[in-house]
Amino acid sequence: MAFVLLILVALAAVVIGAFFVGRQTGVGMLKPLGEYMRAAEGKCDECDALAAQVSDLKERNLFLKQLQQIDREVNRNLSKQIKEAQDERLTLEKEVSLLRRLVQEGGGGILQLKDFKVEAMGTPGEFRYSFTLRQLVQGFGESTGEIEVQVIGKRNGEGKDLSLDKLVGYDRLRHRMKFKHFQNVQGSVKVPDDFEPEKLIVEVKPETDKMNPVSEIFPWSLE
């Protein structure tokens, strides 16, 4: 009996020893695992910080793009206003020049061309032009005559200017003038593929007495 008890005590001691050894081994294994988890948590904090920085940079980039868009709009509006002011100044200078000539020549009617524009139509190579012709001298009476329009440009990239009506199948554009105060003139022109328009020349040839002819050059600028 004593021998059996001795064996049981020995087995219990072995089991308890193995338990403590296993416990120490497990603790030793868990220690680096805990260190790894703490390191991973630190890296997660760094990732969060980087994510916050990326988000901040994205917001700044969006803000800069919005500023650039605003700058472009402001520059576009300023360019438009400058062009309108320059056109208005040019119109006023022409009026002054015409009136000065009227005074020097001792009377008569003075015609003015204004509001000229060119627009592309639905058919390729076809364009619509329009302008207003008015009498600057009040009470002058009826103005009659003929208006001729020439389209000037280059063909096949050649250096010299060429009038479109010089090409085969093209005639000079003509309109009849007859008004007391003003007349809106509108027409269309078909331009061949190998012709590059650069400007238009409008010539007014009055038939009314005491009225001088008028010739104006307008750039080919599409609206």
Side-chain angles (χ1 to χ4, degrees), residues 102 105-110 135 137 140 209-212:
L102 173 63
E105 294 176 357
I110 295 294
Q135 175 61 253
V137 181
F140 178 79
D209 293 336
K210 294 185 178 181
M211 184 179 297
N212 295 319

Side-chain angles (χ1 to χ4, degrees), residues 17-74:
F19 172 77
F20 281 105
V21 171
R23 183 173 178 273
Q24 293 298 325
T25 302
V27 171
M29 294 176 63
L30 289 174
K31 184 177 180 180
L33 180 60
E35 293 177 353
Y36 174 79
M37 293 180 65
R38 285 193 295 271
E41 290 177 355
K43 291 183 179 180
C44 287
D45 293 338
E46 292 179 0
C47 291
D48 293 340
L50 289 174
Q53 292 179 4
V54 171
S55 178
D56 183 59
L57 289 174
K58 287 182 178 180
E59 291 180 359
R60 292 185 181 181
N61 186 44
L62 179 60
F63 179 70
L64 289 175
K65 287 183 178 179
Q66 292 174 345
L67 286 180
Q68 290 174 351
Q69 180 66 27
I70 293 173
D71 288 341
R72 283 194 292 268
E73 291 294 332
V74 171

Side-chain angles (χ1 to χ4, degrees), residues 116-223:
F116 187 91
K117 65 179 180 180
V118 180
E119 301 173 294
M121 300 179 66
T123 305
E126 190 170 359
F127 302 90
R128 179 188 293 112
Y129 61 87
S130 62
F131 56 90
T132 300
L133 184 63
R134 69 168 181 164
Q135 175 61 253
L136 294 180
V137 181
Q138 295 184 358
F140 178 79
E142 188 175 65
S143 301
T144 60
E146 189 177 58
I147 305 169
E148 293 186 353
V149 180
Q150 297 182 67
V151 180
I152 307 297
K154 290 182 173 59
R155 191 179 189 188
N156 294 323
E158 296 181 358
K160 63 180 181 179
D161 289 339
L162 177 68
S163 179
L164 182 62
D165 58 84
K166 300 298 182 181
L167 302 181
V168 177
Y170 290 86
D171 298 321
R172 185 168 297 188
L173 305 166
R174 289 180 169 85
H175 301 274
R176 187 65 187 167
M177 177 182 72
K178 186 176 182 181
F179 67 94
K180 286 187 176 181
H181 303 291
F182 69 91
Q183 178 177 341
N184 293 322
V185 181
Q186 180 175 293
S188 62
V189 58
K190 179 73 173 179
V191 177
D193 295 338
D194 59 353
F195 188 86
E196 182 181 355
E198 293 183 342
K199 57 188 174 182
L200 294 97
I201 300 177
V202 181
E203 294 182 282
V204 182
K205 301 178 178 180
E207 297 173 351
T208 308
D209 293 336
K210 294 185 178 181
M211 184 179 297
N212 295 319
V214 178
S215 179
E216 292 279 353
I217 299 177
F218 298 94
W220 184 274
S221 179
L222 298 180
E223 293 289 329

Side-chain angles (χ1 to χ4, degrees), residues 91-110:
T91 300
L92 291 174
E93 289 177 351
K94 289 181 179 179
E95 289 185 5
V96 171
S97 176
L98 289 172
L99 292 173
R100 184 181 294 114
R101 190 177 68 185
L102 173 63
V103 173
Q104 291 174 350
E105 294 176 357
I110 295 294

